[in-house]
Amino acid sequence: MENLETFRQDTRDWLEANCPEDMRQPMRSDEDQCWGGRNWVFKSEGQKLWLERMAAKGWTAPRWPTEYGGGGLSGPEAKILGEEMARIGARRPLSSFGLDMLGPALLLYATEEQKQQYIPDIIKGKIRWCQGYSEPNAGSDLASLRTKAEDMGDHYLINGSKVWTSYADKADWIFCLVRTDFDCAKHEGISFLLFDMTSEGVSTKPIKLISGTSPFCETFFDNVQVPKAQLVGTLNKGWEIAKYLLTHERAMIGGFGLAGGGMKGMGQMAAAKRGTTDGRLRDASLRAEASSFEIDEMAFGLTIERITDETKAGQGTGASSSILKMYGTELNKLRQELFMAIGATDALNFDTDSKGALVRSWLRSKANSIEGGTTEVQLNIIAKRILGLPA
Amino acid sequence: MILSEEQQLLKDSARAFLSESAPISALRAMRDAGEDHMPELWTKMSEMGWPGIVIPDAYSGLEFGYVGAGVVLEEMGRTLALSPFLSSAVVAASLINQLGSEQQKEKYLPGIASGELTAVLAADETGYFDLSSIETTASESGDAYVLSGNKRGVIDGHNADLLLVVTGGDAGMSVFAVESGAEGVSCETRLIVDSQRAADITFDSVTVSSDALLGSLGGASEAMEFTIDVAAACSAAEMLGISIETFERTVGYLKEREQFGEKIGTFQGLQHRAAQLFAEIEVSKSAVLAALQALDANSEKRSVLASMAKAKCSKVVRNATEEGVQMHGGIGMTDEFDIGFFMKRAAVCRQAYGDYHFHADRFASLRGY
C-alpha cells in the first residue's frame, strides 16, 4: 500500500511535469484524437510530445510487459495512472486499434519473434493498424467470410474484399481474417494474417456515411502476396483468435457509454442552455429524461469498474464484454439524442465546419450498436453463453 | 468493487439460512393463516446477531457496516423474508446513532441490536415520502413536549415498540422517540399487497419527556438526509435480490416449458428480452454496491449514489417482476404459483422510502439541476 501511494505521488509529479497544456483540454471531437502511424501529421507540438513521452515510459500500454516496451504496471498501478490522468483531464496519448484490439491477441497467440516485431511499434504509435473482418456477405454472420488465401509455397496469395474497414485508407498494416480451407465447417478453415497495406494489389475506397464523413472503407485484395511468417497462430485456427480479439473490440466500443472526462453532466448542460426556475431545469420533461440518463450512465460506469475489478480477482464472467458493448452503445445513442434535444433547432446545422459537429456525431452514433457486432448479436451471445438458453 | 471475504461469508450464510428458514412457502403459510409478520423468524435472525450489523460495537452491535447489511438484504429479497431488519435494525438504528445523545444511544441501540426492541421511522404524512411538508408538531410544555399529527402508511408500524416521529413546523425538522404504547397514540392498519399491514398512526396530544427528543429541536435535517441515504441504498439491495431471484426462476422456466414442440427458451423474442434484463440486473448490482460502500465511507457522493441506486433498482425490479409474470404466461398470474409474490413485494419496496420519481428528482437536484 505504501508503495502504491509512492507510485501515485510519483505519477502525479511526472504527469504534472510532462503533460502539455493543450493535452489537458477535453477533446472537442474525434478530430482531436492522435492515431499515430507512418503518415500521421501531428495536430500540435503538444500532441507529438505527449505521445513521445508517454510511449517512452510504455504508458500508452500501461499493463503490457516491459520487454516489448509496455509499462509493466500491476492492475492497481494502472488504475492509479488512469485516475491521475483523469484528475488533470489528460487526453489519451494514442488512439489505436493496435492497442485496443490486435496487441492483446498478439500477446496471447503470436510467436516470440512476431511479438518483438509488432508490439513495440504499436506501443510507440509507429504503425497504424486496421481490422479486416467484415465482408459484403459476412456481417453479423462473420464466420461465413470468403476472402481467400492460397498456399503458394513460400507465401499466401490473397484475393477477395473486406467492408466496413475503419480507416483502411489511413492505416499502415491490416490484421485480416482469411479463408484457408473451404471444405469444412465455416468456423474452421479461417486463418489470421498480418500484412502491409502498401503491398501490391491492396486498394481501398472510402464509404460515405449518413453523417457525411467516411471513417469506413471497402478494401480490395487482388493477388496480394503475404509472407508465411505473417500468419498468427495455427493455420485454419484463426477463428479462436478472431473471437478473442472481438471481446477487446466490444470492451472498447462499450467504453463509448462512459461519461466524457472533464465534461459537464447532461442535466447541467441542459440547465445551462435551457435555463432554470428555482434552481430546477425549466423543461420538466427534459429534466426527467436527463436524470434517468445520468442514473444509467453512472450505474454503467460503476459496472465497468466492478467487472474490471472482478476480472482481476478472477471472478469475471466470460461474456461480460457483450454486456458492456450492448449497454454502452445504447447509452451513447441516448446521450446523442439528448444532445440533440438540448441543441434543439440549432443542432440541425449540417455545415462542414464545427457547427455541424453535433448532428454528425448524432448520426455517427447510430453505427455504435451495429459495428463490432450488433446489439442483437450481443443479446444472442448473452442468451446462449451466459444464460445457457437453448439454441 | 468486490466483496471482502467476510462480506462474502456473511452473504453465503444468509443465503443458506434464509432458504432453509424463510422460503416463499413460509410467507404463503403466514398469509394463509391471516397473520402479517413473522416473529419467530426475527427471533432466529436475532440469535445470529443480524439486528446488530450496522450498530457500533460500543452499543453491542457488530459494526459490520452497510455493505454487510446490504448483502443480507439482497438475500432477504431472494426469499421475500419478512422482518423488521431494514426498518428497525438498519434505518431506525442509523437515525438514532446519527442523532441521539450518548445516553439515548445507550438506551435504545443495545435493545435494537439484540432484536428485543424494534423501532420504526414514522415520517411520511403524504404517501409520497414528501418530508418537506410535515405537519406533525411538537410544542414545548414545561419540561416536556406535546406531539400532534398523523403519520401515514408506516409499514409494520403497529408491531414496533418504538416510533421515531418526525415533526416539522416553524422550529424545523425534529425527531422524537415515542413508545408505541404512549397515551394518545392510536393506530389503524390496512392490509397491503404483500400481506403485510401498513399503519396510519395518530398522535393526539402525546406528551413525552424532553429526553425523547433526539438531538436538538429543529436539528434533524442532516441526520434525516443520511437516514434517507441508508434507507434508499439498503432498500435497493433488497430489490436487487428480488430481481435476481425472479430472473433466475424465469430463465429456469424458459429452459423447461415447451410449446410448438420446442423449449420456449429457443425463441429469440424471449432470449433477447431475458438477455436485456440480465444486463440491467448486472448494472443495478454495481449501483447497489457503490451506494453501500459510499455509506460505509461516508463519502461526499453518498446521497447521489443512494438515490441513483434506489431509482435504478426500482426500475429494474419492476421490469424483472413484470417479465417474470409475462414469460410464465397464464400460470404466472395464478395465486398457486410463487412468481406473483415477487411482484407484490417489489411493489412495496419500490414505494418504501421514496419511489423512482422521488429519487430521480432528488438525484437531479443533488446534481445541480
Side-chain angles (χ1 to χ4, degrees), chain B residues 130-191:
Chain B
D130 181 359
L131 304 189
S132 66
S133 52
I134 288 176
E135 289 175 2
T136 297
T137 54
S139 43
E140 283 187 84
S141 165
D143 212 14
Y145 290 95
V146 179
L147 309 186
S148 290
N150 299 290
K151 296 294 177 184
R152 244 177 100 163
V154 183
I155 294 168
D156 208 28
H158 58 298
N159 288 318
D161 305 311
L162 191 70
L163 307 169
L164 302 184
V165 184
V166 183
T167 63
D170 296 340
M173 203 183 269
S174 314
V175 179
F176 290 85
V178 180
E179 282 171 27
S180 56
E183 186 156 350
V185 177
S186 62
C187 185
E188 268 183 51
T189 68
R190 47 201 158 85
L191 183 66

Side-chain angles (χ1 to χ4, degrees), chain B residues 75-358:
Chain B
E75 295 304 325
M76 289 177 170
R78 272 182 174 263
T79 70
L80 305 181
L82 270 187
S83 80
F85 180 74
L86 176 59
S87 59
S88 176
V90 178
V91 176
S94 295
L95 181 54
I96 293 170
N97 190 47
Q98 282 288 311
L99 204 52
S101 65
E102 199 56 37
Q103 279 169 328
Q104 288 166 329
K105 291 189 206 179
E106 270 164 19
K107 183 174 177 189
Y108 300 120
L109 291 179
I112 294 178
S114 71
E116 282 160 39
L117 176 74
T118 57
V120 72
L121 178 68
D124 187 26
E125 299 171 9
T126 62
Y128 296 94
F129 202 65
D130 181 359
L131 304 189
S132 66
S133 52
I134 288 176
E135 289 175 2
T136 297
T137 54
S139 43
E140 283 187 84
S141 165
D143 212 14
Y145 290 95
V146 179
L147 309 186
S148 290
N150 299 290
K151 296 294 177 184
R152 244 177 100 163
V154 183
I155 294 168
D156 208 28
H158 58 298
N159 288 318
D161 305 311
L162 191 70
L163 307 169
L164 302 184
V165 184
V166 183
T167 63
D170 296 340
M173 203 183 269
S174 314
V175 179
F176 290 85
V178 180
E179 282 171 27
S180 56
E183 186 156 350
V185 177
S186 62
C187 185
E188 268 183 51
T189 68
R190 47 201 158 85
L191 183 66
I192 59 173
V193 64
D194 68 342
S195 308
Q196 298 192 85
R197 298 192 83 83
D200 295 333
I201 308 173
T202 302
F203 299 87
D204 185 8
S205 299
V206 177
T207 305
V208 293
S209 65
S210 60
D211 61 8
L213 171 64
L214 299 179
S216 61
L217 195 65
S221 295
E222 213 174 292
M224 280 302 292
E225 286 301 306
F226 183 85
T227 305
I228 293 172
D229 295 340
V230 167
C234 291
S235 138
E238 187 176 2
M239 290 192 283
L240 173 62
I242 299 175
S243 296
I244 293 172
E245 179 68 22
T246 309
F247 181 70
E248 286 178 4
R249 287 176 181 234
T250 305
V251 169
Y253 189 72
L254 295 182
K255 290 178 184 175
E256 160 199 310
R257 167 76 170 166
E258 289 187 17
Q259 287 286 277
F260 307 105
E262 297 180 73
K263 306 278 189 220
I264 62 172
T266 60
F267 304 144
Q268 202 174 40
L270 297 181
Q271 287 185 346
H272 281 192
R273 275 159 50 194
Q276 195 89 48
L277 187 49
F278 177 78
E280 289 290 358
I281 291 172
E282 283 297 307
V283 169
S284 54
K285 277 184 192 169
S286 329
V288 168
L289 185 55
L292 294 169
Q293 287 178 337
L295 283 173
D296 282 332
N298 200 5
S299 91
E300 55 185 19
K301 291 200 282 186
R302 193 192 72 214
S303 297
V304 165
L305 288 169
S307 279
M308 173 211 51
K310 179 85 209 280
K312 184 68 195 166
C313 290
S314 299
K315 261 194 178 177
V316 172
V317 80
R318 189 195 72 84
N319 191 0
T321 51
E322 193 168 289
E323 288 287 47
V325 169
Q326 176 69 21
M327 291 191 192
H328 277 87
I331 198 171
M333 283 299 292
T334 63
D335 182 67
E336 192 187 341
F337 203 74
D338 286 342
I339 205 83
F341 279 69
F342 292 90
M343 181 179 268
K344 291 174 178 180
R345 173 63 57 75
V348 175
C349 292
R350 284 161 60 193
Q351 287 291 336
Y353 309 109
D355 70 352
Y356 170 81
H357 302 287
F358 175 92

Side-chain angles (χ1 to χ4, degrees), chain A residues 48-335:
Chain A
K48 180 166 180 281
L49 280 174
W50 183 223
L51 173 58
E52 285 171 359
R53 289 170 180 171
M54 285 291 276
K57 282 188 87 78
W59 282 2
T60 48
R63 297 214 57 196
W64 292 7
T66 48
E67 53 192 302
Y68 309 115
L73 300 188
S74 67
E77 286 171 339
K79 195 170 175 180
I80 287 173
L81 173 60
E83 286 165 3
E84 289 302 316
M85 286 176 68
R87 200 182 65 85
I88 60 167
R91 290 183 188 176
R92 196 177 177 202
L94 181 62
S95 300
S96 155
F97 297 149
L99 288 176
D100 292 332
M101 294 195 264
L102 178 62
L106 290 180
L107 285 169
L108 198 59
Y109 291 100
T111 63
E112 185 55 36
E113 215 178 339
Q114 288 171 330
K115 290 182 196 174
Q116 294 287 359
Q117 183 178 350
Y118 300 114
I119 294 176
D121 285 350
I122 290 175
I123 293 170
K124 295 192 188 91
K126 285 190 170 171
I127 294 293
R128 182 170 180 179
W129 288 86
C130 65
Q131 177 189 32
Y133 268 41
S134 296
E135 296 182 8
N137 290 311
S140 287
D141 182 14
L142 180 62
S144 66
L145 58 95
R146 309 286 296 175
T147 290
K148 178 169 69 172
E150 285 172 276
D151 188 338
M152 307 301 281
D154 64 335
H155 67 272
Y156 296 109
L157 190 68
I158 317 296
N159 279 288
S161 66
K162 295 285 173 184
V163 72
W164 307 123
T165 327
S166 301
Y167 305 113
D169 53 339
K170 299 184 171 72
D172 305 314
W173 277 61
I174 187 168
F175 48 94
C176 194
L177 295 181
V178 294
R179 186 157 296 286
T180 37
D181 189 346
F182 281 80
D183 301 322
C184 54
K186 66 182 177 183
H187 292 94
E188 293 153 30
I190 292 173
S191 298
F192 193 97
L193 283 184
L194 311 175
F195 53 92
D196 196 319
M197 288 293 279
T198 59
S199 307
E200 199 175 325
V202 178
S203 59
T204 62
K205 189 176 151 208
I207 303 167
K208 189 170 172 181
L209 298 186
I210 52 177
S211 57
T213 55
S214 312
F216 298 107
C217 291
E218 291 178 275
T219 308
F220 305 96
F221 310 120
D222 180 17
N223 288 321
V224 179
Q225 296 186 17
V226 175
K228 280 193 159 173
Q230 290 166 211
L231 171 77
V232 179
T234 312
L235 188 71
N236 294 329
K237 299 287 175 212
W239 184 246
E240 189 188 331
I241 307 175
K243 277 196 302 182
Y244 177 75
L245 188 143
L246 277 175
T247 63
H248 287 272
E249 179 178 16
R250 284 182 211 128
M252 173 188 74
I253 299 175
F256 294 171
L258 287 172
M263 279 168 68
K264 267 190 194 166
M266 184 64 71
Q268 283 196 21
M269 216 180 289
K273 189 93 200 296
R274 190 76 178 86
T276 54
T277 310
D278 298 330
R280 295 157 75 95
L281 179 55
R282 182 170 296 144
D283 182 326
S285 169
L286 183 57
R287 180 173 184 269
E289 263 204 74
S291 167
S292 165
F293 169 78
E294 283 190 6
I295 286 167
D296 283 353
E297 182 186 52
M298 192 177 280
F300 176 71
L302 291 162
T303 303
I304 291 193
E305 215 178 295
R306 181 172 64 84
I307 288 181
T308 309
D309 288 351
E310 284 179 355
T311 308
K312 279 178 204 152
Q315 309 173 349
T317 40
S320 57
S321 66
S322 289
I323 299 170
L324 300 182
K325 203 276 173 182
M326 187 276 292
Y327 210 95
T329 56
E330 296 299 332
L331 205 52
N332 192 44
K333 289 199 296 182
L334 183 54
R335 172 184 294 120

